[in-house]
Amino acid sequence: MPRSNILFALLFIVLLGLSEAPGRRSLYAFASSSSDGICKSMIETQGYPCQEHKVTTEDGYILSMQRIVVGQSGSKGDKPPVLLQHGVLADAITWVLAPYNKSLPFILADNGYDVWLGNTRGTKYSNGHTSLSTSDKAYWEWSWDELSSYDLHALVQYVYNHTGQKLYYAGHSQGTLIALAAFSQKNLLNMIRSAALFAPIAHLNNIPSPAIQLAARSLLATALYWLKLGEFIPKSQEVRQLIGTICNSSGTNCSDLVKLFTGPSCCISFTTIDTLLLHEPQPTATKNLIHFSQVVSTRKIAKYDYGNPIQNMQHYGQLNPPQYNMASIPKDFPLFLCYGKNDILADVKDVEFLINNDLKDHDKGKLEVVYSEEYGHLDFIMASNAKEVVYEPVLDFFKRT
Ligand SMILES: *[C@@H]1O[C@H](CO)[C@@H](O)[C@H](O)[C@H]1NC(C)=O
Ligand SMILES: *[C@@H]1O[C@H](CO)[C@@H](O)[C@H](O)[C@H]1NC(C)=O
Ligand SMILES: *[C@@H]1O[C@H](CO)[C@@H](O)[C@H](O)[C@H]1NC(C)=O
Ligand SMILES: *[C@@H]1O[C@H](CO)[C@@H](O)[C@H](O)[C@H]1NC(C)=O
């Protein structure tokens, strides 16, 4: 049962949007003031100085990053940089929703790390381009292949250039897939010390939710329609319609969509969820969600399939899209993986397949795994006890790698 990030996105959006529990803010009603960056609205408000940075990818997308150099102590730490990379339909704000002493970026800064938050193309604070605008269809011509080869590459290279040091990496959900894809091609490894992967997404063969499976099938069946739209806007009429259809035909009670699509979360406070709904979900490319659906339906981790041999030949020089071979990740590259029993996107069976098959020959001392009996997909970055369950083990791991 794979859980697709697509699904994740859909679910996330849908769940959040459709769960109109009293007192909860509707997704469709959130007001966005776009004048202030993430530093001003989410980081300085927690008492941390913050710098906004911009980096342009090789294909012209202008991405924003936030940097926290100084922790509570008020003086600059002595540890290397860390880059944090968010999931699909989300942006860097998802890392800083909990209070400062429970959120990974602030905990890292307080421990002396130089913390950088990346935002992938198409999200609210990374929607610039050297020649295109978000209303151009061409702006949305990408999937997680490009997030891996262009966005992640630019973000890592920028931090490396700027600090003159190799960095640590921490990713959530889609932020793990794009890193694993790069590592499997032996990219970026010269600039990264080690990687912590929260709710890792690679194989999507065991999605337990009929609604998610149906969402993936629906997107693939109507791919031409969706691709014409270019941008996947979670709050749009089209997406609400899709979700309504999926709920109806899978017999799903959509009043509990969030839980349905990400798995039940054990430990996220209502305040954190309310703040989450103020800022997320973020748009993505429909092509990206179709690519995730392809991973679900083909049970292969491959590049985007253009759906016909001629176009695949044009893009890849072969009839079928090339596959990512996760077993090619160098065996001595230090990895930390954490996953949870209640996660229906990073399903336990799929994560364990990655660990026990692709990574079976990984050097013993270079692969660490944390498993939670109670965590769902979002707990890893938002739970009120994530510091004890996940972040402290990650700090130990960084110290040793
Ligand atoms: C976080 O800070 C609050 C208020 O300052 C305190 O009550 C709480 O115990 C702290 N939590 C952790 C995990 O340190
Ligand atoms: C990093 O530095 C190299 C060499 O000076 C330069 O070619 C490249 O454009 C820089 N990249 C970024 C993202 O800063
Ligand atoms: C779902 O079913 C309800 C009740 O049968 C109907 O009112 C609604 O229009 C349906 N929604 C969609 C999107 O098909
Ligand atoms: C859907 O779930 C909600 C909350 O659990 C419940 O109040 C509601 O009655 C359910 N609706 C249906 C049609 O089962």
Side-chain angles (χ1 to χ4, degrees):
M1 336 108 96
R3 33 357 255 277
S4 67
N5 256 9
I6 295 169
L7 301 172
F8 169 35
L10 281 177
L11 300 167
F12 184 71
I13 293 168
V14 170
L15 293 168
L16 297 178
L18 298 185
S19 39
E20 305 270 350
R24 290 276 173 96
R25 195 176 280 265
S26 161
L27 270 187
Y28 301 111
F30 85 85
S32 57
S33 83
S34 54
S35 49
D36 288 340
I38 292 176
C39 275
K40 271 224 161 43
S41 60
M42 301 300 295
I43 294 176
E44 289 169 9
T45 49
Q46 299 247 34
Y48 290 73
C50 178
Q51 305 167 1
E52 293 282 353
H53 289 256
K54 291 233 181 286
V55 55
T56 303
T57 67
E58 260 178 54
D59 56 348
Y61 291 82
I62 302 167
L63 312 179
S64 79
M65 304 180 88
Q66 292 75 39
R67 182 190 193 188
I68 311 168
V69 198
V70 175
Q72 293 286 323
S73 71
S75 55
K76 195 173 175 314
D78 55 356
K79 302 245 176 47
V82 186
L83 173 63
L84 272 59
Q85 188 52 55
H86 62 77
V88 70
L89 300 178
D91 64 10
I93 286 175
T94 50
W95 294 107
V96 291
L97 292 170
Y100 74 92
N101 59 1
K102 297 176 177 176
S103 292
L104 183 59
F106 302 125
I107 292 170
L108 285 167
D110 286 342
N111 279 276
Y113 291 90
D114 175 8
V115 181
W116 296 76
L117 310 181
N119 295 273
T120 50
R121 61 182 64 184
T123 57
K124 183 172 168 187
Y125 299 105
S126 286
N127 60 12
H129 189 279
T130 50
S131 64
L132 298 169
S133 105
T134 53
S135 56
D136 294 320
K137 223 189 94 210
Y139 177 94
W140 299 99
E141 288 282 327
W142 49 266
S143 76
W144 55 262
D145 287 332
E146 284 76 21
L147 299 183
S148 178
S149 55
Y150 291 112
D151 287 26
L152 188 60
H153 189 274
L155 296 169
V156 169
Q157 182 82 59
Y158 184 88
V159 174
Y160 182 75
N161 280 12
H162 208 86
T163 62
Q165 293 192 67
K166 287 175 80 170
L167 42 136
Y168 297 106
Y169 182 82
H172 177 242
S173 193
Q174 176 184 264
T176 69
L177 174 62
I178 61 178
L180 288 166
F183 301 159
S184 74
Q185 300 178 307
K186 311 211 171 27
N187 291 335
L188 307 180
L189 295 164
N190 58 330
M191 295 184 280
I192 300 185
R193 294 165 194 261
S194 64
L197 307 178
F198 306 140
I201 297 286
H203 302 281
L204 294 173
N205 301 344
N206 288 284
I207 288 187
S209 155
I212 295 182
Q213 290 188 5
L214 186 56
R217 281 201 303 274
S218 304
L219 276 181
L220 290 177
T222 54
L224 288 180
Y225 165 78
W226 288 103
L227 288 171
K228 231 178 284 162
L229 295 178
E231 178 178 9
F232 186 92
I233 308 171
K235 287 167 289 165
S236 66
Q237 217 24 63
E238 292 86 353
V239 174
R240 298 181 71 160
Q241 177 75 36
L242 172 68
I243 289 162
T245 308
I246 288 167
C247 297
N248 275 12
S249 46
S250 65
T252 300
N253 182 341
C254 285
S255 71
D256 210 356
L257 274 180
V258 174
K259 188 165 146 197
L260 189 76
F261 286 100
T262 63
S265 68
C266 64
C267 314
I268 304 180
S269 78
F270 286 117
T271 319
T272 299
I273 294 281
D274 282 345
T275 318
L276 171 74
L277 294 180
L278 276 175
H279 300 283
E280 318 290 332
Q282 293 289 319
T284 189
T286 56
K287 185 174 172 184
N288 188 30
L289 296 185
I290 287 169
H291 192 186
F292 275 113
S293 300
Q294 290 173 351
V295 179
V296 173
S297 81
T298 62
R299 305 169 73 89
K300 284 181 186 147
I301 312 169
K303 293 203 177 197
Y304 181 80
D305 188 348
Y306 285 85
N308 71 68
I310 296 170
Q311 269 185 290
N312 283 338
M313 188 59 98
Q314 278 167 358
H315 284 91
Y316 308 123
Q318 56 187 70
L319 300 175
N320 294 308
Q323 293 192 36
Y324 293 98
N325 179 5
M326 296 304 173
S328 301
I329 297 172
K331 299 179 187 349
D332 59 351
F333 180 70
L335 287 173
F336 177 102
L337 278 71
C338 52
Y339 63 113
K341 186 177 184 181
N342 292 321
D343 191 336
I344 62 171
L345 297 173
D347 183 85
V348 169
K349 282 191 213 125
D350 287 333
V351 177
E352 291 182 347
F353 185 82
L354 177 71
I355 295 169
N356 298 327
N357 290 273
D358 301 299
L359 301 176
K360 69 176 185 308
D361 296 325
H362 212 77
D363 290 355
K364 288 292 162 268
K366 298 288 172 74
L367 179 62
E368 292 184 32
V369 173
V370 165
Y371 171 69
S372 162
E373 284 280 344
E374 52 175 8
Y375 270 22
H377 198 68
L378 299 178
D379 285 298
F380 294 97
I381 51 168
M382 291 174 207
S384 51
N385 62 352
K387 185 178 180 191
E388 295 76 44
V389 176
V390 185
Y391 305 154
E392 280 168 0
V394 167
L395 286 170
D396 280 350
F397 169 75
F398 284 166
K399 232 177 276 168
R400 280 182 277 107
T401 58

